[in-house]
Short mmCIF file of all heavy atoms in Angstrom, two decimals:
data_model
loop_
_atom_site.label_atom_id
_atom_site.label_comp_id
_atom_site.label_asym_id
_atom_site.label_seq_id
_atom_site.Cartn_x
_atom_site.Cartn_y
_atom_site.Cartn_z
N ILE N 127 24.96 -6.68 80.80
CA ILE N 127 24.07 -6.06 81.88
C ILE N 127 23.55 -4.66 81.36
O ILE N 127 24.43 -3.79 81.10
CB ILE N 127 24.74 -5.90 83.15
CG1 ILE N 127 25.50 -7.20 83.55
CG2 ILE N 127 23.89 -5.29 84.20
CD1 ILE N 127 24.63 -8.30 83.76
N LEU N 128 22.29 -4.62 81.21
CA LEU N 128 21.56 -3.35 80.87
C LEU N 128 21.39 -2.59 82.14
O LEU N 128 20.69 -3.06 83.07
CB LEU N 128 20.39 -3.56 80.06
CG LEU N 128 19.38 -2.42 79.86
CD1 LEU N 128 20.15 -1.14 79.11
CD2 LEU N 128 18.13 -2.85 79.04
N ASP N 129 21.91 -1.38 82.27
CA ASP N 129 21.71 -0.55 83.48
C ASP N 129 20.36 0.27 83.41
O ASP N 129 20.39 1.38 82.95
CB ASP N 129 22.86 0.33 83.65
CG ASP N 129 22.80 1.11 84.99
OD1 ASP N 129 21.83 1.09 85.72
OD2 ASP N 129 23.88 1.85 85.25
N ARG N 130 19.28 -0.31 83.84
CA ARG N 130 18.03 0.30 83.75
C ARG N 130 18.04 1.62 84.74
O ARG N 130 17.30 2.63 84.42
CB ARG N 130 16.94 -0.52 84.19
CG ARG N 130 15.60 0.18 84.05
CD ARG N 130 14.42 -0.87 84.50
NE ARG N 130 13.09 -0.13 84.43
CZ ARG N 130 12.54 0.70 85.36
NH1 ARG N 130 13.25 0.90 86.53
NH2 ARG N 130 11.36 1.14 85.29
N SER N 131 18.80 1.57 85.79
CA SER N 131 18.85 2.64 86.71
C SER N 131 19.37 3.83 86.06
O SER N 131 18.82 4.97 86.32
CB SER N 131 19.60 2.22 88.07
OG SER N 131 18.91 1.21 88.72
N THR N 132 20.33 3.68 85.28
CA THR N 132 20.92 4.91 84.53
C THR N 132 19.88 5.33 83.47
O THR N 132 19.80 6.58 83.25
CB THR N 132 22.25 4.52 83.94
OG1 THR N 132 23.22 4.32 84.96
CG2 THR N 132 22.74 5.63 83.11
N ALA N 133 19.22 4.34 82.76
CA ALA N 133 18.29 4.75 81.74
C ALA N 133 17.16 5.52 82.20
O ALA N 133 16.67 6.42 81.50
CB ALA N 133 17.92 3.51 80.93
N THR N 134 16.78 5.25 83.53
CA THR N 134 15.58 5.96 84.04
C THR N 134 16.00 7.04 84.91
O THR N 134 15.06 7.79 85.38
CB THR N 134 14.74 4.96 84.73
OG1 THR N 134 15.46 4.43 85.88
CG2 THR N 134 14.24 3.81 83.82
N GLY N 135 17.19 7.30 85.15
CA GLY N 135 17.68 8.33 86.06
C GLY N 135 17.62 8.03 87.49
O GLY N 135 17.94 8.80 88.35
N ALA N 136 17.35 6.74 87.83
CA ALA N 136 17.40 6.36 89.21
C ALA N 136 18.75 6.35 89.78
O ALA N 136 18.83 6.33 91.00
CB ALA N 136 16.78 4.95 89.32
N ALA N 137 19.74 6.29 88.94
CA ALA N 137 21.20 6.25 89.36
C ALA N 137 21.58 7.47 90.14
O ALA N 137 22.36 7.55 91.14
CB ALA N 137 22.10 6.12 88.28
N ASP N 138 20.78 8.60 89.93
CA ASP N 138 20.99 9.79 90.61
C ASP N 138 20.13 9.97 91.91
O ASP N 138 20.24 10.89 92.57
CB ASP N 138 20.64 11.06 89.71
CG ASP N 138 21.33 11.07 88.40
OD1 ASP N 138 22.58 10.67 88.47
OD2 ASP N 138 20.91 11.58 87.40
N GLU N 139 19.30 8.89 92.26
CA GLU N 139 18.55 8.88 93.30
C GLU N 139 19.04 8.03 94.54
O GLU N 139 18.34 7.45 95.25
CB GLU N 139 17.11 8.49 93.03
CG GLU N 139 16.57 9.38 91.93
CD GLU N 139 15.13 8.80 91.31
OE1 GLU N 139 14.77 7.85 91.97
OE2 GLU N 139 14.72 9.29 90.41
N GLY N 140 20.38 7.82 94.50
CA GLY N 140 20.94 7.07 95.63
C GLY N 140 21.10 5.56 95.29
O GLY N 140 21.43 4.81 96.29
N VAL N 141 20.81 5.10 94.23
CA VAL N 141 20.91 3.69 93.84
C VAL N 141 22.41 3.40 93.67
O VAL N 141 23.13 4.18 93.18
CB VAL N 141 20.08 3.39 92.62
CG1 VAL N 141 20.41 2.01 92.07
CG2 VAL N 141 18.62 3.60 92.76
N MET N 142 22.86 2.23 94.18
CA MET N 142 24.15 1.77 94.06
C MET N 142 24.57 1.66 92.62
O MET N 142 23.72 1.26 91.79
CB MET N 142 24.43 0.57 94.77
CG MET N 142 24.36 0.74 96.27
SD MET N 142 24.42 -0.89 97.17
CE MET N 142 25.90 -1.63 96.68
N GLY N 143 25.82 1.81 92.26
CA GLY N 143 26.23 1.73 90.80
C GLY N 143 26.23 0.26 90.53
O GLY N 143 26.36 -0.64 91.21
N VAL N 144 25.97 0.11 89.25
CA VAL N 144 25.80 -1.26 88.67
C VAL N 144 27.07 -2.17 88.91
O VAL N 144 26.98 -3.33 89.28
CB VAL N 144 25.42 -1.24 87.19
CG1 VAL N 144 26.55 -0.58 86.27
CG2 VAL N 144 25.01 -2.68 86.71
N ARG N 145 28.19 -1.60 88.70
CA ARG N 145 29.47 -2.36 88.92
C ARG N 145 29.66 -2.72 90.46
O ARG N 145 30.08 -3.87 90.69
CB ARG N 145 30.61 -1.64 88.39
CG ARG N 145 30.76 -1.71 86.90
CD ARG N 145 32.10 -1.05 86.34
NE ARG N 145 32.23 -1.18 84.94
CZ ARG N 145 31.83 -0.29 84.04
NH1 ARG N 145 31.19 0.82 84.48
NH2 ARG N 145 32.02 -0.54 82.69
N GLU N 146 29.21 -1.85 91.16
CA GLU N 146 29.38 -2.13 92.68
C GLU N 146 28.54 -3.25 93.19
O GLU N 146 28.91 -4.08 93.98
CB GLU N 146 28.89 -0.87 93.45
CG GLU N 146 29.16 -0.84 94.97
CD GLU N 146 28.72 0.45 95.53
OE1 GLU N 146 28.25 1.47 94.91
OE2 GLU N 146 28.76 0.58 96.73
N VAL N 147 27.30 -3.40 92.53
CA VAL N 147 26.53 -4.53 92.88
C VAL N 147 26.88 -5.80 92.11
O VAL N 147 26.91 -6.83 92.78
CB VAL N 147 25.03 -4.18 92.51
CG1 VAL N 147 24.04 -5.42 92.70
CG2 VAL N 147 24.56 -3.01 93.42
N ILE N 148 27.15 -5.71 90.88
CA ILE N 148 27.43 -6.90 90.04
C ILE N 148 28.77 -7.53 90.46
O ILE N 148 28.89 -8.66 90.57
CB ILE N 148 27.46 -6.62 88.60
CG1 ILE N 148 25.99 -6.12 88.22
CG2 ILE N 148 27.69 -7.89 87.73
CD1 ILE N 148 24.80 -6.97 88.55
N GLU N 149 29.73 -6.72 90.54
CA GLU N 149 31.11 -7.21 90.89
C GLU N 149 31.45 -7.46 92.30
O GLU N 149 32.31 -6.94 92.92
CB GLU N 149 32.16 -6.24 90.19
CG GLU N 149 32.03 -6.13 88.75
CD GLU N 149 32.99 -5.11 88.07
OE1 GLU N 149 33.79 -4.66 88.74
OE2 GLU N 149 32.69 -4.93 86.88
N ASN N 150 30.55 -8.23 92.82
CA ASN N 150 30.76 -8.62 94.23
C ASN N 150 31.70 -9.85 94.36
O ASN N 150 32.26 -10.31 93.37
CB ASN N 150 29.29 -9.03 94.92
CG ASN N 150 28.73 -10.31 94.17
OD1 ASN N 150 29.44 -11.33 94.03
ND2 ASN N 150 27.62 -10.10 93.67
N ASP N 151 32.14 -10.17 95.66
CA ASP N 151 33.09 -11.06 95.83
C ASP N 151 32.81 -12.52 95.21
O ASP N 151 33.75 -13.23 94.77
CB ASP N 151 33.34 -11.34 97.42
CG ASP N 151 33.83 -10.14 98.04
OD1 ASP N 151 34.46 -9.41 97.43
OD2 ASP N 151 33.75 -9.96 99.34
#
């Protein structure tokens, strides 16, 4: 999984963390 949100800085704009989304139930 490539985290584009981190690469573009969107992770700092309230986007949920990649693990939080991917590692669902």
Side-chain angles (χ1 to χ4, degrees):
I127 310 297
L128 170 55
D129 184 355
R130 182 183 181 274
S131 293
T132 294
T134 62
D138 297 331
E139 299 171 9
V141 173
M142 293 170 55
V144 62
R145 285 185 174 91
E146 185 179 359
V147 172
I148 303 300
E149 295 176 11
N150 60 54
D151 291 339

